Amino acid sequence: MDFVVTVTRAEESVWFPASYIGSRGALGRLTRQDMEVTRADTGQSLAEHMRAQGYDPEAALARTPPPPAQFLEFHIEQGPVLHSAGEPYGLVTAIRGGLRYRNARIDGVWAHSGGAPREGRADAVIAFADLAMAMEQVWDEMLAQGHDLTVTFGRVDAASPVHAMAKVAGTLEFCVDLRSENNATLDEAERRLRAEIARIEIARPGIGFQLGAQSRSQPAQLSEAMVALAASGAARLGHAPGACAPAAAMMPRRSRWPAGRAR
């Protein structure tokens, strides 16, 4: 049996709003729509950047997928679960899908901090704080109901560089990242998100939310046969990673105790 070690680029898609560009490119699964996404800092498309680096976007689109093969990804855990459990590695059984709004915005009303009374303010920062705390409560409730879910507001920008000590913020930009191994859970979390936004807009006159375009990646259950293969190899070494299931090392992506779920 041959072993081939590969290194992929652009899996996290920091610059481009498209997931797994490197691995999908290697597997011949990039689409023309992927080629048209634009890089956050330059505004140029993925295809334009590929050409600048000497690659042919059309060849990538026409790439024939390689023959079937078994694939293991070794990945650090991007969380504290394994460390807290005292486990060196685990086997991931699922990859969380993501539902994201990358360029959401809250519009309020600019005002002077010393001149605008409490009544009648439309403070974008306070509206965002309301939403963040409400979604914390939604998250707690859905976890208690048995859902697999994470809720993250990874970027918050209160109108820099025009914000100031003496201003009530009239605008705020943010992103929200919902993740789960179940599509129905993602749909329910988004429904709850939109319900909270509607509540805030009614309760706080002058506040309006714009979520912008949605991007989404699909959850995936990983191959039970591959997990079993990795577990059997671990057993031959005297290891029992399946006993704790949170994962870091033997299958794709991060995990969550105790179900072996990944991002």
Side-chain angles (χ1 to χ4, degrees), residues 20 93-99 148 178-187 216-222 261-263:
Y20 319 122
T93 57
I95 302 175
R96 283 187 175 121
L99 190 157
D148 170 62
L178 308 174
R179 303 203 187 189
S180 177
E181 67 174 30
N182 187 285
N183 266 321
T185 295
L186 290 175
D187 291 339
R216 190 157 180 169
S217 60
Q218 296 300 310
Q221 297 294 317
L222 300 184
R261 302 181 180 102
R263 177 178 59 189

PDB file of all heavy atoms in Angstrom, residues 20 93-99 148 178-187 216-222 261-263:
ATOM      1  N   TYR A  20     -12.726  25.241   1.828  1.00  0.00           N
ATOM      2  CA  TYR A  20     -11.959  24.066   1.371  1.00  0.00           C
ATOM      3  C   TYR A  20     -11.477  24.198  -0.070  1.00  0.00           C
ATOM      4  O   TYR A  20     -11.557  23.263  -0.861  1.00  0.00           O
ATOM      5  CB  TYR A  20     -12.780  22.779   1.553  1.00  0.00           C
ATOM      6  CG  TYR A  20     -13.547  22.741   2.843  1.00  0.00           C
ATOM      7  CD1 TYR A  20     -14.923  22.587   2.865  1.00  0.00           C
ATOM      8  CD2 TYR A  20     -12.883  22.891   4.058  1.00  0.00           C
ATOM      9  CE1 TYR A  20     -15.631  22.573   4.057  1.00  0.00           C
ATOM     10  CE2 TYR A  20     -13.587  22.878   5.260  1.00  0.00           C
ATOM     11  CZ  TYR A  20     -14.962  22.724   5.252  1.00  0.00           C
ATOM     12  OH  TYR A  20     -15.644  22.719   6.433  1.00  0.00           O
ATOM     13  N   THR A  93     -15.721  11.706  14.550  1.00  0.00           N
ATOM     14  CA  THR A  93     -16.747  10.944  13.848  1.00  0.00           C
ATOM     15  C   THR A  93     -17.633  11.796  12.950  1.00  0.00           C
ATOM     16  O   THR A  93     -18.389  11.260  12.143  1.00  0.00           O
ATOM     17  CB  THR A  93     -17.645  10.209  14.864  1.00  0.00           C
ATOM     18  OG1 THR A  93     -18.219  11.162  15.763  1.00  0.00           O
ATOM     19  CG2 THR A  93     -16.822   9.202  15.664  1.00  0.00           C
ATOM     20  N   ALA A  94     -17.572  13.127  13.092  1.00  0.00           N
ATOM     21  CA  ALA A  94     -18.412  14.000  12.265  1.00  0.00           C
ATOM     22  C   ALA A  94     -17.739  15.350  12.119  1.00  0.00           C
ATOM     23  O   ALA A  94     -16.943  15.758  12.964  1.00  0.00           O
ATOM     24  CB  ALA A  94     -19.796  14.174  12.888  1.00  0.00           C
ATOM     25  N   ILE A  95     -18.060  16.036  11.042  1.00  0.00           N
ATOM     26  CA  ILE A  95     -17.579  17.390  10.802  1.00  0.00           C
ATOM     27  C   ILE A  95     -18.765  18.335  10.892  1.00  0.00           C
ATOM     28  O   ILE A  95     -19.778  18.142  10.203  1.00  0.00           O
ATOM     29  CB  ILE A  95     -16.910  17.531   9.427  1.00  0.00           C
ATOM     30  CG1 ILE A  95     -15.734  16.557   9.308  1.00  0.00           C
ATOM     31  CG2 ILE A  95     -16.438  18.959   9.193  1.00  0.00           C
ATOM     32  CD1 ILE A  95     -15.102  16.543   7.933  1.00  0.00           C
ATOM     33  N   ARG A  96     -18.645  19.328  11.735  1.00  0.00           N
ATOM     34  CA  ARG A  96     -19.727  20.302  11.843  1.00  0.00           C
ATOM     35  C   ARG A  96     -19.853  21.126  10.568  1.00  0.00           C
ATOM     36  O   ARG A  96     -18.865  21.555   9.999  1.00  0.00           O
ATOM     37  CB  ARG A  96     -19.467  21.248  13.011  1.00  0.00           C
ATOM     38  CG  ARG A  96     -19.759  20.647  14.379  1.00  0.00           C
ATOM     39  CD  ARG A  96     -19.641  21.708  15.450  1.00  0.00           C
ATOM     40  NE  ARG A  96     -20.043  21.160  16.740  1.00  0.00           N
ATOM     41  CZ  ARG A  96     -19.269  21.108  17.816  1.00  0.00           C
ATOM     42  NH1 ARG A  96     -18.038  21.572  17.761  1.00  0.00           N
ATOM     43  NH2 ARG A  96     -19.706  20.594  18.942  1.00  0.00           N
ATOM     44  N   GLY A  97     -21.086  21.360  10.162  1.00  0.00           N
ATOM     45  CA  GLY A  97     -21.342  22.324   9.113  1.00  0.00           C
ATOM     46  C   GLY A  97     -21.457  23.716   9.710  1.00  0.00           C
ATOM     47  O   GLY A  97     -21.640  23.878  10.921  1.00  0.00           O
ATOM     48  N   GLY A  98     -21.348  24.727   8.848  1.00  0.00           N
ATOM     49  CA  GLY A  98     -21.416  26.094   9.324  1.00  0.00           C
ATOM     50  C   GLY A  98     -22.437  26.919   8.564  1.00  0.00           C
ATOM     51  O   GLY A  98     -22.596  26.771   7.347  1.00  0.00           O
ATOM     52  N   LEU A  99     -23.141  27.774   9.285  1.00  0.00           N
ATOM     53  CA  LEU A  99     -24.055  28.746   8.691  1.00  0.00           C
ATOM     54  C   LEU A  99     -23.554  30.110   9.147  1.00  0.00           C
ATOM     55  O   LEU A  99     -23.530  30.399  10.343  1.00  0.00           O
ATOM     56  CB  LEU A  99     -25.487  28.495   9.146  1.00  0.00           C
ATOM     57  CG  LEU A  99     -26.604  29.261   8.444  1.00  0.00           C
ATOM     58  CD1 LEU A  99     -27.939  28.533   8.588  1.00  0.00           C
ATOM     59  CD2 LEU A  99     -26.748  30.694   8.960  1.00  0.00           C
ATOM     60  N   ASP A 148     -26.473  19.702  19.017  1.00  0.00           N
ATOM     61  CA  ASP A 148     -25.056  20.022  18.875  1.00  0.00           C
ATOM     62  C   ASP A 148     -24.972  21.388  18.212  1.00  0.00           C
ATOM     63  O   ASP A 148     -25.438  21.562  17.080  1.00  0.00           O
ATOM     64  CB  ASP A 148     -24.351  18.972  18.013  1.00  0.00           C
ATOM     65  CG  ASP A 148     -22.945  19.408  17.646  1.00  0.00           C
ATOM     66  OD1 ASP A 148     -22.129  19.587  18.566  1.00  0.00           O
ATOM     67  OD2 ASP A 148     -22.677  19.589  16.440  1.00  0.00           O
ATOM     68  N   LEU A 178     -22.599  30.062  13.074  1.00  0.00           N
ATOM     69  CA  LEU A 178     -23.357  28.988  13.712  1.00  0.00           C
ATOM     70  C   LEU A 178     -22.835  27.661  13.177  1.00  0.00           C
ATOM     71  O   LEU A 178     -22.697  27.498  11.968  1.00  0.00           O
ATOM     72  CB  LEU A 178     -24.852  29.108  13.406  1.00  0.00           C
ATOM     73  CG  LEU A 178     -25.501  30.466  13.698  1.00  0.00           C
ATOM     74  CD1 LEU A 178     -26.948  30.463  13.212  1.00  0.00           C
ATOM     75  CD2 LEU A 178     -25.427  30.803  15.173  1.00  0.00           C
ATOM     76  N   ARG A 179     -22.567  26.699  14.072  1.00  0.00           N
ATOM     77  CA  ARG A 179     -22.050  25.407  13.617  1.00  0.00           C
ATOM     78  C   ARG A 179     -22.765  24.258  14.319  1.00  0.00           C
ATOM     79  O   ARG A 179     -23.093  24.331  15.495  1.00  0.00           O
ATOM     80  CB  ARG A 179     -20.545  25.304  13.881  1.00  0.00           C
ATOM     81  CG  ARG A 179     -19.765  26.419  13.222  1.00  0.00           C
ATOM     82  CD  ARG A 179     -18.342  26.056  13.008  1.00  0.00           C
ATOM     83  NE  ARG A 179     -17.578  27.201  12.528  1.00  0.00           N
ATOM     84  CZ  ARG A 179     -16.334  27.145  12.099  1.00  0.00           C
ATOM     85  NH1 ARG A 179     -15.703  25.983  12.086  1.00  0.00           N
ATOM     86  NH2 ARG A 179     -15.703  28.220  11.686  1.00  0.00           N
ATOM     87  N   SER A 180     -22.976  23.192  13.543  1.00  0.00           N
ATOM     88  CA  SER A 180     -23.611  21.996  14.080  1.00  0.00           C
ATOM     89  C   SER A 180     -23.363  20.824  13.135  1.00  0.00           C
ATOM     90  O   SER A 180     -23.086  21.022  11.946  1.00  0.00           O
ATOM     91  CB  SER A 180     -25.122  22.199  14.239  1.00  0.00           C
ATOM     92  OG  SER A 180     -25.759  21.006  14.711  1.00  0.00           O
ATOM     93  N   GLU A 181     -23.483  19.628  13.669  1.00  0.00           N
ATOM     94  CA  GLU A 181     -23.398  18.447  12.810  1.00  0.00           C
ATOM     95  C   GLU A 181     -24.745  18.096  12.190  1.00  0.00           C
ATOM     96  O   GLU A 181     -24.863  17.131  11.451  1.00  0.00           O
ATOM     97  CB  GLU A 181     -22.867  17.253  13.594  1.00  0.00           C
ATOM     98  CG  GLU A 181     -23.785  16.746  14.684  1.00  0.00           C
ATOM     99  CD  GLU A 181     -23.258  15.479  15.333  1.00  0.00           C
ATOM    100  OE1 GLU A 181     -22.048  15.288  15.394  1.00  0.00           O
ATOM    101  OE2 GLU A 181     -24.100  14.666  15.787  1.00  0.00           O
ATOM    102  N   ASN A 182     -25.757  18.932  12.466  1.00  0.00           N
ATOM    103  CA  ASN A 182     -27.108  18.644  11.994  1.00  0.00           C
ATOM    104  C   ASN A 182     -27.686  19.872  11.292  1.00  0.00           C
ATOM    105  O   ASN A 182     -27.744  20.959  11.877  1.00  0.00           O
ATOM    106  CB  ASN A 182     -27.988  18.242  13.187  1.00  0.00           C
ATOM    107  CG  ASN A 182     -29.358  17.774  12.761  1.00  0.00           C
ATOM    108  OD1 ASN A 182     -30.206  18.578  12.395  1.00  0.00           O
ATOM    109  ND2 ASN A 182     -29.591  16.478  12.816  1.00  0.00           N
ATOM    110  N   ASN A 183     -28.133  19.699  10.058  1.00  0.00           N
ATOM    111  CA  ASN A 183     -28.679  20.827   9.301  1.00  0.00           C
ATOM    112  C   ASN A 183     -29.941  21.395   9.934  1.00  0.00           C
ATOM    113  O   ASN A 183     -30.163  22.610   9.911  1.00  0.00           O
ATOM    114  CB  ASN A 183     -28.980  20.387   7.865  1.00  0.00           C
ATOM    115  CG  ASN A 183     -27.831  20.672   6.911  1.00  0.00           C
ATOM    116  OD1 ASN A 183     -27.182  21.700   7.002  1.00  0.00           O
ATOM    117  ND2 ASN A 183     -27.579  19.749   5.998  1.00  0.00           N
ATOM    118  N   ALA A 184     -30.762  20.544  10.505  1.00  0.00           N
ATOM    119  CA  ALA A 184     -31.994  21.026  11.136  1.00  0.00           C
ATOM    120  C   ALA A 184     -31.671  21.926  12.325  1.00  0.00           C
ATOM    121  O   ALA A 184     -32.381  22.913  12.581  1.00  0.00           O
ATOM    122  CB  ALA A 184     -32.856  19.849  11.579  1.00  0.00           C
ATOM    123  N   THR A 185     -30.608  21.613  13.030  1.00  0.00           N
ATOM    124  CA  THR A 185     -30.188  22.456  14.155  1.00  0.00           C
ATOM    125  C   THR A 185     -29.725  23.816  13.658  1.00  0.00           C
ATOM    126  O   THR A 185     -30.049  24.854  14.252  1.00  0.00           O
ATOM    127  CB  THR A 185     -29.067  21.766  14.947  1.00  0.00           C
ATOM    128  OG1 THR A 185     -29.577  20.567  15.541  1.00  0.00           O
ATOM    129  CG2 THR A 185     -28.525  22.675  16.044  1.00  0.00           C
ATOM    130  N   LEU A 186     -28.971  23.835  12.569  1.00  0.00           N
ATOM    131  CA  LEU A 186     -28.547  25.110  11.990  1.00  0.00           C
ATOM    132  C   LEU A 186     -29.755  25.942  11.563  1.00  0.00           C
ATOM    133  O   LEU A 186     -29.793  27.160  11.797  1.00  0.00           O
ATOM    134  CB  LEU A 186     -27.629  24.870  10.797  1.00  0.00           C
ATOM    135  CG  LEU A 186     -26.238  24.307  11.095  1.00  0.00           C
ATOM    136  CD1 LEU A 186     -25.494  24.003   9.795  1.00  0.00           C
ATOM    137  CD2 LEU A 186     -25.435  25.270  11.951  1.00  0.00           C
ATOM    138  N   ASP A 187     -30.726  25.302  10.948  1.00  0.00           N
ATOM    139  CA  ASP A 187     -31.923  26.025  10.515  1.00  0.00           C
ATOM    140  C   ASP A 187     -32.671  26.601  11.715  1.00  0.00           C
ATOM    141  O   ASP A 187     -33.151  27.745  11.675  1.00  0.00           O
ATOM    142  CB  ASP A 187     -32.844  25.096   9.730  1.00  0.00           C
ATOM    143  CG  ASP A 187     -32.265  24.701   8.373  1.00  0.00           C
ATOM    144  OD1 ASP A 187     -31.389  25.425   7.864  1.00  0.00           O
ATOM    145  OD2 ASP A 187     -32.679  23.652   7.837  1.00  0.00           O
ATOM    146  N   ARG A 216     -22.664  28.885   3.624  1.00  0.00           N
ATOM    147  CA  ARG A 216     -23.006  27.672   4.360  1.00  0.00           C
ATOM    148  C   ARG A 216     -22.153  26.501   3.901  1.00  0.00           C
ATOM    149  O   ARG A 216     -21.894  26.333   2.705  1.00  0.00           O
ATOM    150  CB  ARG A 216     -24.487  27.354   4.161  1.00  0.00           C
ATOM    151  CG  ARG A 216     -25.025  26.249   5.065  1.00  0.00           C
ATOM    152  CD  ARG A 216     -26.526  26.384   5.206  1.00  0.00           C
ATOM    153  NE  ARG A 216     -27.077  25.353   6.065  1.00  0.00           N
ATOM    154  CZ  ARG A 216     -28.309  25.346   6.537  1.00  0.00           C
ATOM    155  NH1 ARG A 216     -29.136  26.336   6.209  1.00  0.00           N
ATOM    156  NH2 ARG A 216     -28.745  24.386   7.318  1.00  0.00           N
ATOM    157  N   SER A 217     -21.696  25.711   4.852  1.00  0.00           N
ATOM    158  CA  SER A 217     -21.027  24.451   4.547  1.00  0.00           C
ATOM    159  C   SER A 217     -21.820  23.327   5.198  1.00  0.00           C
ATOM    160  O   SER A 217     -22.415  23.505   6.266  1.00  0.00           O
ATOM    161  CB  SER A 217     -19.578  24.453   5.060  1.00  0.00           C
ATOM    162  OG  SER A 217     -19.530  24.639   6.465  1.00  0.00           O
ATOM    163  N   GLN A 218     -21.844  22.178   4.552  1.00  0.00           N
ATOM    164  CA  GLN A 218     -22.699  21.085   4.984  1.00  0.00           C
ATOM    165  C   GLN A 218     -22.026  20.202   6.044  1.00  0.00           C
ATOM    166  O   GLN A 218     -20.836  19.900   5.945  1.00  0.00           O
ATOM    167  CB  GLN A 218     -23.084  20.218   3.790  1.00  0.00           C
ATOM    168  CG  GLN A 218     -23.929  20.936   2.758  1.00  0.00           C
ATOM    169  CD  GLN A 218     -25.241  21.438   3.344  1.00  0.00           C
ATOM    170  OE1 GLN A 218     -25.964  20.687   3.990  1.00  0.00           O
ATOM    171  NE2 GLN A 218     -25.551  22.707   3.120  1.00  0.00           N
ATOM    172  N   PRO A 219     -22.784  19.777   7.064  1.00  0.00           N
ATOM    173  CA  PRO A 219     -22.242  18.798   8.017  1.00  0.00           C
ATOM    174  C   PRO A 219     -21.957  17.479   7.307  1.00  0.00           C
ATOM    175  O   PRO A 219     -22.538  17.182   6.256  1.00  0.00           O
ATOM    176  CB  PRO A 219     -23.372  18.621   9.042  1.00  0.00           C
ATOM    177  CG  PRO A 219     -24.317  19.754   8.808  1.00  0.00           C
ATOM    178  CD  PRO A 219     -24.176  20.134   7.375  1.00  0.00           C
ATOM    179  N   ALA A 220     -21.068  16.694   7.875  1.00  0.00           N
ATOM    180  CA  ALA A 220     -20.737  15.394   7.272  1.00  0.00           C
ATOM    181  C   ALA A 220     -20.437  14.384   8.371  1.00  0.00           C
ATOM    182  O   ALA A 220     -19.676  14.670   9.308  1.00  0.00           O
ATOM    183  CB  ALA A 220     -19.546  15.517   6.339  1.00  0.00           C
ATOM    184  N   GLN A 221     -21.056  13.220   8.258  1.00  0.00           N
ATOM    185  CA  GLN A 221     -20.684  12.091   9.095  1.00  0.00           C
ATOM    186  C   GLN A 221     -19.512  11.383   8.428  1.00  0.00           C
ATOM    187  O   GLN A 221     -19.583  11.064   7.236  1.00  0.00           O
ATOM    188  CB  GLN A 221     -21.865  11.125   9.261  1.00  0.00           C
ATOM    189  CG  GLN A 221     -23.063  11.741   9.981  1.00  0.00           C
ATOM    190  CD  GLN A 221     -22.770  12.083  11.424  1.00  0.00           C
ATOM    191  OE1 GLN A 221     -22.136  11.297  12.133  1.00  0.00           O
ATOM    192  NE2 GLN A 221     -23.213  13.252  11.860  1.00  0.00           N
ATOM    193  N   LEU A 222     -18.460  11.136   9.169  1.00  0.00           N
ATOM    194  CA  LEU A 222     -17.276  10.521   8.583  1.00  0.00           C
ATOM    195  C   LEU A 222     -17.431   9.010   8.495  1.00  0.00           C
ATOM    196  O   LEU A 222     -18.292   8.404   9.135  1.00  0.00           O
ATOM    197  CB  LEU A 222     -16.040  10.893   9.393  1.00  0.00           C
ATOM    198  CG  LEU A 222     -15.762  12.401   9.471  1.00  0.00           C
ATOM    199  CD1 LEU A 222     -14.461  12.674  10.207  1.00  0.00           C
ATOM    200  CD2 LEU A 222     -15.718  13.016   8.091  1.00  0.00           C
ATOM    201  N   ARG A 261     -17.342  15.121  17.828  1.00  0.00           N
ATOM    202  CA  ARG A 261     -17.785  15.935  16.710  1.00  0.00           C
ATOM    203  C   ARG A 261     -16.682  16.889  16.305  1.00  0.00           C
ATOM    204  O   ARG A 261     -15.875  17.318  17.119  1.00  0.00           O
ATOM    205  CB  ARG A 261     -19.029  16.733  17.101  1.00  0.00           C
ATOM    206  CG  ARG A 261     -20.191  15.857  17.556  1.00  0.00           C
ATOM    207  CD  ARG A 261     -21.393  16.709  17.895  1.00  0.00           C
ATOM    208  NE  ARG A 261     -22.491  15.872  18.326  1.00  0.00           N
ATOM    209  CZ  ARG A 261     -22.838  15.700  19.595  1.00  0.00           C
ATOM    210  NH1 ARG A 261     -22.135  16.287  20.545  1.00  0.00           N
ATOM    211  NH2 ARG A 261     -23.852  14.937  19.923  1.00  0.00           N
ATOM    212  N   ALA A 262     -16.673  17.257  15.056  1.00  0.00           N
ATOM    213  CA  ALA A 262     -15.664  18.189  14.562  1.00  0.00           C
ATOM    214  C   ALA A 262     -16.336  19.391  13.954  1.00  0.00           C
ATOM    215  O   ALA A 262     -17.546  19.397  13.734  1.00  0.00           O
ATOM    216  CB  ALA A 262     -14.767  17.517  13.530  1.00  0.00           C
ATOM    217  N   ARG A 263     -15.511  20.380  13.666  1.00  0.00           N
ATOM    218  CA  ARG A 263     -16.038  21.604  13.111  1.00  0.00           C
ATOM    219  C   ARG A 263     -16.726  21.361  11.790  1.00  0.00           C
ATOM    220  O   ARG A 263     -16.246  20.669  10.933  1.00  0.00           O
ATOM    221  CB  ARG A 263     -14.884  22.584  12.933  1.00  0.00           C
ATOM    222  CG  ARG A 263     -15.294  23.858  12.306  1.00  0.00           C
ATOM    223  CD  ARG A 263     -14.151  24.792  12.188  1.00  0.00           C
ATOM    224  NE  ARG A 263     -13.098  24.196  11.382  1.00  0.00           N
ATOM    225  CZ  ARG A 263     -11.902  24.722  11.251  1.00  0.00           C
ATOM    226  NH1 ARG A 263     -11.590  25.787  11.916  1.00  0.00           N
ATOM    227  NH2 ARG A 263     -11.009  24.177  10.491  1.00  0.00           N
TER     228      ARG A 263
END
